Amino acid sequence: MSAIPQDFVRKTTQLSEEVTRPFPNSRKIHVTGSRPDLRVPMREVSLTPTHTNEGEEENPPVFVYDTSGPYTDPNARIDLLAGLPDVRNAWIEERGDTELLTGPSSAFGHERQNDPELAHLRFEHLRTPRRAKSGRNVTQMHYARQGIITPEMEYVAIRENMRLDELRADPRYAKVLRQHPGQSFGAALPETITPEFVREEIARGRAIIPANINHPEVEPMIIGRNFRVKINTNIGNSALTSSIEEEVEKMVWSARWGGDTLMDLSTGKNIHETREWILRNAPMPIGTVPIYQALEKVDGKPEALTWEIVRDTLIEQAEQGVDYFTIHAGVLLRYVPLTADRLTGIVSRGGSILAKWCLAHHQENFLYTHFAEICEIMKAYDVAFSLGDGLRPGSLADANDRAQFAELETLGELTKVAWEHDVQVMIEGPGHVPLQMVQENMTKELKDCFEAPFYTLGPLVTDIAPAYDHITSGIGAANIGWYGTAMLCYVTPKEHLGLPDKQDVRDGIVTYKIAAHAADLAKGLPGAQIQDNALSKARFEFRWEDQFNLSLDPDRAREYHDQTMPHVSHKVA
Amino acid sequence: MSAIPQDFVRKTTQLSEEVTRPFPNSRKIHVTGSRPDLRVPMREVSLTPTHTNEGEEENPPVFVYDTSGPYTDPNARIDLLAGLPDVRNAWIEERGDTELLTGPSSAFGHERQNDPELAHLRFEHLRTPRRAKSGRNVTQMHYARQGIITPEMEYVAIRENMRLDELRADPRYAKVLRQHPGQSFGAALPETITPEFVREEIARGRAIIPANINHPEVEPMIIGRNFRVKINTNIGNSALTSSIEEEVEKMVWSARWGGDTLMDLSTGKNIHETREWILRNAPMPIGTVPIYQALEKVDGKPEALTWEIVRDTLIEQAEQGVDYFTIHAGVLLRYVPLTADRLTGIVSRGGSILAKWCLAHHQENFLYTHFAEICEIMKAYDVAFSLGDGLRPGSLADANDRAQFAELETLGELTKVAWEHDVQVMIEGPGHVPLQMVQENMTKELKDCFEAPFYTLGPLVTDIAPAYDHITSGIGAANIGWYGTAMLCYVTPKEHLGLPDKQDVRDGIVTYKIAAHAADLAKGLPGAQIQDNALSKARFEFRWEDQFNLSLDPDRAREYHDQTMPHVSHKVA
């Protein structure tokens, strides 16, 4: 008998049809790896034949990287109350380096679990938290440096490869395999992604697999410049709006359109419980900014933050399964004055919180001074660092200034520390940067942060288009992705203006899929052009349905087409 | 007493309020040049003061380049039946090198004027066509090469400058004048645009002012890589849809959002009459693809086209006032086989028409063989060439191939011929090109076409996003604009799918304003960052109304903001 009221269950467990409907002419397939429980999902798009004078010419199916999780699989049984089936439990257990705890070891996690007032909205099937055995390190980087290829590494190798070797051996694909040479700016994209290549990239810190041992539901994915460029989406309730069921629906919606990872930036009430619902049902890695929740615990007063509160929050979230933490440890006391002459000061919320703390106490940022202790927590659960750019520019005027780059240099120093602990790291980047100054960000990040994956917000290449900032930033994102950024944090049309609704999320994601794909093509990622070629062939042959089905948003392509009568003279390609 | 039925008059002369409403907190100003009839429009945006601890700090007004014509001027009397007041008649007459004709000298123009069946939809106040006196050349390039600074040249110098010298001398603007150095890839952007600089650029063919002597209503503008990057929009009825009043409304709508020039690509009936209505009411240069209309005259059969029909069409349109013609004279017979192995063959409509003609007759393209005669027509009215890229790639796979570049080389050869006649030229470019191959297009165009202005369609940097091709192409457009393209032809979300409606046109234009502005900033165009700085300052100071009013689309920014409660934590800049 569930303790959760029926009304809440009904609302929370019913995903709308639009977020779960399979894509047209598509089916979910699984490619099995070296063990039967290693099954990598892909989407197969079937095409119609071409009618030629010599008869029918087959158009073989196209395989698409699939972030949507089991939700688009008509054979999967979805039960949000129970959460997704686990993908990784056996792999984690086999390693024998973790232990199940008796309950949350964070004070806050313990308190929330035992608060009877929360029973009505608590996720019911709470997992028992898992932690590394004493003295053990359970990060993918640690395994990689021991020479171990984990199932997670093999999984992402298969996922990145997208059956490319098979397609190359199949003469039906000869025409769509045509591809222009890329300009990779020093990236090292192999012809085929092997598990050993994945291991090497992780071992040297050039890529990460964000996969907390407490998030066994995750379908592993990799972030690094020698792999497909990824995109992150953000959701989050606020004090004012939205509920748990809306956030879960948005998470599934994000997965549907192609979000590779998702950050939960909630600031309202019941953050802890909302996060649990999301994690248990999330096929993608989940990131958070723990300082946001810590701030809620001290009633929004930055100066009241303490290392102890943040530490407890890190453990609370790590034991729920958060896969990466944004940690603003590079906002040093001495950097704060560097922002005084800026046009737009400090615009990062995390940066602003830490800067206020530093000034109030006139002490060094406690995330910096306690960084080694944070590493100890990260490696006990395999939470990856996303080292936050708290001093990122909030306007073109402030781009690439001393404050921004001073922080970036400190992030490089912290990367080294994290790597001494074998903790995975990515580096956050801007922001607002005019086009001609975008590349400098990438070049400096690669140098100062030793090629740790870069993860940027856009950047926006002009400030004058609120309501279109998915586009202003998509331009910057495509460019910085080309130069080497591993993951692009999406921006929606509501950026700077308000909270995105579902259509804004869709617009933001598709724009960023475009940017990421444009970057893959530009770098010369093997196989990246197959989908373009197949779609263009369909277009040229007036196979309209195939054109729609191969596009990033089949629903909207079809809808737009159906709004007006097709007339050949207006279909200039 | 008008011959036009009242119903048509009512529909045709009523612009909707949304296309004429002035922008909020904006007023139209005119900067007067060296003569009282040289009055250059700009939009002045007033801002509210900043409240500081020391009292109020004034935020001086920002001036915005204004393409909207008299339509957004509450003091202007708009009468679509009479057309816009002329801007240039006195200038043209003073030069004394033209003469008024007694009527249209094209057979088709004559026929249409005297067809009683067309009386009900004919523009009433037909201008008497004007032509160069025998032996005279009336192009801006011809004057420039004689050392003459025309009023048109002075007009565009003032327009490009946007009062920058005055702002530099005004200490209130010190903060918003901050700007990063650009990377201009060899462009030569002066600190101040002088009329003499305009003249020099036109004389050497690096810029054009499309301004037919039969389009005196035009507000002169310049297209060249050492000036602001411009955008072109397309309208056009088809056999299936839309009417004269819709096309006029769309033209005004395009001007409102920032279209610098407009191409009328109509293919339906009454093309001639529609064009007249548009021209008489258009403040921006109008371009056409005359072969489209010529094809209508031969019932859509490319092989039935003749030089005589095209010649008559050129004269017909030149005498109406079309400012630039797309001429696909580079599609040579021997290039057609180069497209055989392409994934998507020939996708340009003009290219396809000419290729069919060449193959049907096995003769060289008659636009190529008659090119000198076309130049004779162009210089009698000052119609500029837009040398069409009939072999542009229709997919990434076909980008930068031999067919495309062979044609580009021929366009360079034709540029030289046109310049021997002192006829203004710009060069059309692609299309579909992956990011890493975009710059080669620009470099080759500058070299092969001797720095004649480049005018590109996007390019789209991936093929997989129909319904979002304003974005896929906006990314390419920002980049190629940065590299040196002078004008970007917009793409709407309906590209490849159907006919754009008004909201699609708005989305396409704003996306391209973003791309063009991003390019200006990246090149380091003096003053380009003022609007960004002013908007970012407003944003940082929570002057919401100023932020909206300074944006490319104040209406949508306000609307999006009002959809959700503003909450500070979500307004991460």
Side-chain angles (χ1 to χ4, degrees):
Chain A
M1 182 63 208
S2 171
I4 309 180
Q6 279 309 307
D7 179 55
F8 183 83
V9 168
R10 189 183 48 73
K11 280 198 300 184
T12 306
T13 56
Q14 285 181 356
L15 290 167
S16 64
E17 190 266 343
E18 68 173 349
V19 312
T20 56
R21 187 175 62 234
F23 285 102
N25 256 33
S26 290
R27 71 183 178 106
K28 170 117 26 197
I29 63 160
H30 291 89
V31 176
T32 304
S34 64
R35 43 189 289 169
D37 67 349
L38 204 164
R39 297 175 67 245
V40 182
M42 293 173 197
R43 179 155 68 92
E44 181 191 272
V45 186
S46 302
L47 304 178
T48 61
T50 303
H51 301 282
T52 72
N53 293 336
E54 290 80 43
E56 288 200 345
E57 174 193 299
E58 182 187 359
N59 290 297
V62 169
F63 299 93
V64 178
Y65 191 98
D66 187 356
T67 60
S68 65
Y71 296 103
T72 51
D73 185 352
N75 299 320
R77 197 175 145 269
I78 303 296
D79 179 357
L80 298 180
L81 287 177
L84 291 177
D86 82 77
V87 173
R88 300 168 57 227
N89 247 346
W91 312 343
I92 297 164
E93 276 175 8
E94 279 169 22
R95 292 194 275 258
D97 51 6
T98 60
E99 60 192 3
L100 288 172
L101 304 176
T102 52
S105 50
S106 69
F108 189 83
H110 190 74
E111 183 189 308
R112 297 298 280 195
Q113 185 166 321
N114 296 301
D115 185 344
E117 302 218 340
L118 297 170
H120 68 285
L121 47 73
R122 190 179 293 131
F123 185 82
E124 207 173 16
H125 301 272
L126 284 177
R127 288 187 179 274
T128 312
R130 184 184 289 280
R131 191 174 60 195
K133 287 180 181 163
S134 176
R136 303 299 293 267
N137 184 332
V138 299
T139 70
Q140 294 289 324
M141 186 180 219
H142 185 69
Y143 303 135
R145 287 178 165 184
Q146 313 293 309
I148 298 165
I149 294 172
T150 62
E152 287 88 344
M153 296 173 200
E154 183 186 346
Y155 189 105
V156 301
I158 295 169
R159 198 171 190 185
E160 291 286 318
N161 249 351
M162 293 297 295
R163 311 188 76 170
L164 186 54
D165 285 339
E166 289 163 75
L167 305 193
R168 284 176 178 141
D170 184 339
R172 298 176 304 162
Y173 286 93
K175 196 160 191 175
V176 296
L177 278 167
R178 281 204 257 182
Q179 185 165 351
H180 297 291
Q183 153 61 285
S184 73
F185 295 104
L189 301 160
E191 277 303 296
T192 301
I193 307 277
T194 61
E196 170 58 18
F197 179 75
V198 171
R199 189 199 64 74
E200 285 165 16
E201 291 289 294
I202 292 173
R204 67 188 279 179
R206 269 208 310 215
I208 68 170
I209 296 179
N212 185 324
I213 53 170
N214 287 306
H215 190 199
E217 302 90 348
V218 83
E219 295 176 348
M221 53 77 70
I222 191 161
I223 302 167
R225 97 193 231 249
N226 294 321
F227 303 91
R228 289 164 196 276
V229 175
K230 304 303 188 299
I231 70 168
N232 173 71
T233 68
N234 297 325
I235 61 169
N237 65 352
S238 74
L240 294 170
T241 59
S242 78
S243 56
I244 289 177
E245 67 266 20
E246 283 176 70
E247 297 308 310
V248 172
E249 168 108 357
K250 272 196 259 173
M251 178 274 290
V252 178
W253 182 246
S254 166
R256 173 181 187 79
W257 293 111
D260 291 289
T261 67
L262 180 140
M263 291 193 77
D264 174 12
L265 303 179
S266 294
T267 57
K269 58 182 181 178
N270 306 324
I271 305 180
H272 180 89
E273 288 69 31
T274 304
R275 186 186 307 123
E276 189 74 33
W277 280 94
I278 290 172
L279 276 162
R280 297 290 71 81
N281 288 291
M284 79 284 269
I286 300 296
T288 61
V289 188
I291 200 99
Y292 289 3
Q293 189 187 1
L295 192 70
E296 301 280 335
K297 294 177 183 175
V298 293
D299 298 325
K301 298 192 186 75
E303 64 279 11
L305 284 168
T306 63
W307 161 240
E308 287 67 33
I309 287 166
V310 171
R311 182 179 177 282
D312 196 68
T313 306
L314 298 177
I315 294 170
E316 170 205 342
Q317 297 196 8
E319 292 187 356
Q320 287 187 295
V322 173
D323 301 288
Y324 60 93
F325 288 155
T326 293
I327 301 287
H328 297 94
V331 181
L332 300 192
L333 178 60
R334 67 180 182 275
Y335 298 161
V336 180
L338 298 177
T339 65
D341 190 41
R342 281 182 158 185
L343 188 67
T344 53
I346 299 177
V347 298
S348 148
R349 182 156 186 258
S352 160
I353 293 165
L354 270 310
K356 280 182 188 146
W357 189 94
C358 290
L359 294 177
H361 296 272
H362 207 75
Q363 282 180 11
E364 193 50 277
N365 181 340
F366 61 87
L367 297 174
Y368 179 80
T369 55
H370 290 274
F371 194 74
E373 290 161 81
I374 300 176
C375 291
E376 294 295 338
I377 298 169
M378 308 297 259
K379 69 191 187 193
Y381 305 95
D382 198 7
V383 182
F385 275 112
S386 184
L387 293 176
D389 57 336
L391 303 181
R392 71 166 178 270
S395 58
L396 296 192
D398 297 340
N400 299 16
D401 72 354
R402 188 59 209 139
Q404 182 196 333
F405 282 163
E407 183 187 31
L408 183 59
E409 290 156 18
T410 298
L411 299 187
E413 175 199 322
L414 295 169
T415 298
K416 271 198 184 162
V417 176
W419 286 352
E420 284 162 16
H421 292 263
D422 292 351
V423 173
Q424 303 188 99
V425 176
M426 59 183 171
I427 307 290
E428 295 187 10
H432 292 241
V433 184
L435 260 184
Q436 83 278 20
M437 296 167 72
V438 170
Q439 192 168 11
E440 186 183 10
N441 281 274
M442 190 71 236
T443 310
K444 188 167 171 67
E445 192 274 346
L446 289 172
K447 179 172 158 289
D448 291 354
C449 300
F450 320 103
E451 299 190 270
F454 205 24
Y455 163 36
T456 61
L457 178 65
L460 288 74
V461 296
T462 165
D463 301 343
I464 65 170
Y468 299 83
D469 278 336
H470 57 313
I471 300 175
T472 66
S473 67
I475 293 169
N479 278 271
I480 206 163
W482 175 21
Y483 301 144
T485 289
M487 186 157 79
L488 308 168
C489 181
Y490 92 155
V491 169
T492 77
K494 291 281 170 60
E495 183 77 13
H496 300 116
L497 298 172
L499 295 178
D501 61 24
K502 273 170 80 177
Q503 292 314 318
D504 296 320
V505 167
R506 177 183 178 181
D507 280 327
I509 293 177
V510 176
T511 302
Y512 272 69
K513 292 296 280 185
I514 290 168
H517 185 63
D520 284 342
L521 289 164
K523 288 160 73 178
L525 182 89
Q529 208 179 301
I530 294 172
Q531 197 176 344
D532 297 84
N533 294 342
L535 188 147
S536 288
K537 185 170 187 291
R539 177 177 285 157
F540 192 62
E541 294 168 356
F542 294 100
R543 290 184 284 117
W544 286 99
E545 292 298 322
D546 289 346
Q547 184 189 160
F548 304 148
N549 295 339
L550 283 166
S551 71
L552 286 178
D553 187 342
D555 302 342
R556 191 171 287 176
R558 185 172 284 103
E559 174 196 330
Y560 280 7
H561 173 264
D562 293 349
Q563 279 175 18
T564 51
M565 286 289 290
H567 185 256
V568 175
S569 63
H570 288 275
K571 290 212 205 66
V572 179
Chain B
M1 181 65 206
S2 170
I4 308 180
Q6 280 309 306
D7 179 54
F8 183 83
V9 167
R10 187 184 48 71
K11 281 197 299 182
T12 308
T13 56
Q14 285 180 355
L15 290 168
S16 63
E17 189 265 343
E18 68 173 349
V19 311
T20 55
R21 186 175 62 234
F23 285 101
N25 256 34
S26 289
R27 72 185 180 106
K28 170 118 27 198
I29 64 160
H30 291 89
V31 177
T32 304
S34 63
R35 44 189 290 169
D37 68 349
L38 203 162
R39 298 174 67 243
V40 182
M42 292 173 199
R43 178 156 68 93
E44 180 190 274
V45 185
S46 302
L47 304 177
T48 61
T50 303
H51 300 282
T52 71
N53 292 338
E54 289 80 43
E56 287 198 347
E57 174 193 298
E58 182 187 359
N59 290 298
V62 170
F63 300 93
V64 178
Y65 191 98
D66 188 356
T67 60
S68 65
Y71 296 102
T72 50
D73 185 353
N75 300 320
R77 196 176 145 270
I78 303 298
D79 179 357
L80 298 180
L81 286 177
L84 291 178
D86 83 76
V87 173
R88 300 168 55 226
N89 246 347
W91 312 343
I92 296 164
E93 276 176 5
E94 279 170 22
R95 292 195 274 258
D97 51 7
T98 60
E99 60 192 2
L100 287 173
L101 304 176
T102 52
S105 50
S106 69
F108 189 83
H110 190 75
E111 182 188 308
R112 296 297 280 194
Q113 184 166 322
N114 296 301
D115 184 344
E117 302 217 341
L118 296 170
H120 68 285
L121 47 73
R122 191 180 291 130
F123 186 82
E124 206 174 19
H125 300 272
L126 284 177
R127 288 185 178 275
T128 312
R130 186 184 287 279
R131 190 174 60 194
K133 287 180 180 162
S134 176
R136 304 298 293 269
N137 183 333
V138 299
T139 71
Q140 295 289 324
M141 187 180 217
H142 185 70
Y143 304 135
R145 287 178 165 185
Q146 311 294 309
I148 299 165
I149 294 173
T150 62
E152 287 87 344
M153 296 172 200
E154 184 187 345
Y155 189 104
V156 302
I158 295 169
R159 198 171 190 186
E160 292 286 318
N161 249 350
M162 294 295 296
R163 312 187 76 170
L164 186 55
D165 285 340
E166 288 163 76
L167 306 193
R168 284 175 177 142
D170 184 339
R172 297 177 303 161
Y173 287 93
K175 195 160 191 174
V176 295
L177 278 166
R178 280 203 256 181
Q179 185 167 349
H180 297 290
Q183 152 62 285
S184 73
F185 296 103
L189 302 160
E191 277 302 295
T192 301
I193 307 277
T194 61
E196 171 57 18
F197 178 75
V198 171
R199 188 199 64 73
E200 286 165 17
E201 290 289 297
I202 292 173
R204 67 187 281 179
R206 266 203 317 212
I208 68 171
I209 296 179
N212 186 323
I213 55 171
N214 287 307
H215 190 197
E217 302 90 348
V218 83
E219 295 176 348
M221 53 77 70
I222 192 162
I223 301 167
R225 122 168 121 120
N226 294 320
F227 302 92
R228 287 166 198 274
V229 175
K230 303 304 188 297
I231 70 168
N232 173 72
T233 68
N234 297 325
I235 61 169
N237 65 352
S238 72
L240 294 171
T241 59
S242 79
S243 57
I244 290 178
E245 67 266 21
E246 283 175 70
E247 296 309 311
V248 172
E249 168 108 358
K250 273 196 259 174
M251 178 274 289
V252 178
W253 182 247
S254 166
R256 174 182 186 79
W257 293 112
D260 292 289
T261 68
L262 180 139
M263 292 193 77
D264 175 12
L265 303 179
S266 294
T267 56
K269 57 181 182 179
N270 304 324
I271 305 182
H272 180 90
E273 289 69 30
T274 304
R275 186 186 306 123
E276 190 72 33
W277 279 95
I278 290 172
L279 275 161
R280 297 290 74 77
N281 288 291
M284 79 284 270
I286 300 295
T288 61
V289 188
I291 201 99
Y292 289 2
Q293 190 187 1
L295 192 70
E296 301 280 334
K297 295 177 183 174
V298 294
D299 298 325
K301 298 192 185 74
E303 64 279 11
L305 284 169
T306 64
W307 161 240
E308 288 67 32
I309 288 167
V310 170
R311 181 180 178 280
D312 196 69
T313 305
L314 297 177
I315 294 169
E316 169 204 344
Q317 297 196 7
E319 292 187 355
Q320 287 187 295
V322 173
D323 302 288
Y324 60 93
F325 287 156
T326 293
I327 301 286
H328 297 94
V331 181
L332 300 193
L333 178 61
R334 66 179 183 275
Y335 298 160
V336 179
L338 297 178
T339 65
D341 190 42
R342 280 183 159 185
L343 189 67
T344 53
I346 300 177
V347 298
S348 148
R349 183 157 185 257
S352 161
I353 293 166
L354 271 310
K356 280 182 187 145
W357 188 94
C358 291
L359 294 178
H361 297 272
H362 207 76
Q363 282 181 14
E364 193 50 277
N365 181 340
F366 62 85
L367 297 174
Y368 179 81
T369 55
H370 289 275
F371 195 74
E373 290 160 83
I374 300 175
C375 291
E376 294 295 338
I377 298 170
M378 307 298 259
K379 69 190 187 194
Y381 305 95
D382 198 8
V383 183
F385 275 112
S386 185
L387 292 177
D389 56 338
L391 303 180
R392 71 165 178 272
S395 57
L396 296 193
D398 297 340
N400 297 17
D401 71 355
R402 188 59 208 140
Q404 183 197 334
F405 282 163
E407 182 187 33
L408 183 60
E409 290 156 19
T410 298
L411 299 187
E413 174 199 322
L414 296 169
T415 298
K416 271 197 181 162
V417 176
W419 285 354
E420 282 162 17
H421 292 263
D422 292 352
V423 173
Q424 304 188 99
V425 176
M426 59 183 170
I427 307 290
E428 295 187 10
H432 291 242
V433 184
L435 260 184
Q436 83 277 20
M437 296 168 73
V438 169
Q439 192 167 11
E440 185 183 11
N441 281 275
M442 190 70 236
T443 309
K444 186 166 172 68
E445 191 276 344
L446 289 172
K447 179 174 159 287
D448 291 353
C449 300
F450 320 102
E451 300 190 89
F454 205 23
Y455 164 35
T456 61
L457 177 66
L460 288 73
V461 295
T462 165
D463 301 341
I464 65 170
Y468 298 82
D469 277 338
H470 57 312
I471 300 175
T472 65
S473 67
I475 293 169
N479 277 271
I480 206 162
W482 174 22
Y483 300 144
T485 290
M487 186 158 76
L488 307 168
C489 181
Y490 92 154
V491 169
T492 78
K494 290 281 169 61
E495 183 77 13
H496 300 115
L497 297 172
L499 295 178
D501 61 23
K502 274 170 80 177
Q503 293 315 318
D504 295 321
V505 168
R506 177 183 180 183
D507 280 327
I509 294 176
V510 176
T511 301
Y512 272 68
K513 293 296 279 186
I514 290 168
H517 185 63
D520 285 342
L521 289 163
K523 287 161 72 178
L525 182 90
Q529 207 179 302
I530 294 172
Q531 197 175 343
D532 296 84
N533 294 342
L535 187 146
S536 288
K537 185 170 185 290
R539 177 177 284 158
F540 192 62
E541 294 168 355
F542 294 99
R543 290 183 284 115
W544 286 98
E545 292 298 323
D546 289 346
Q547 183 188 160
F548 304 148
N549 295 339
L550 284 166
S551 71
L552 286 178
D553 186 343
D555 302 342
R556 191 171 287 176
R558 185 174 284 102
E559 174 195 332
Y560 280 7
H561 173 263
D562 293 348
Q563 279 175 18
T564 50
M565 287 289 290
H567 185 256
V568 175
S569 64
H570 289 274
K571 289 209 208 67
V572 179

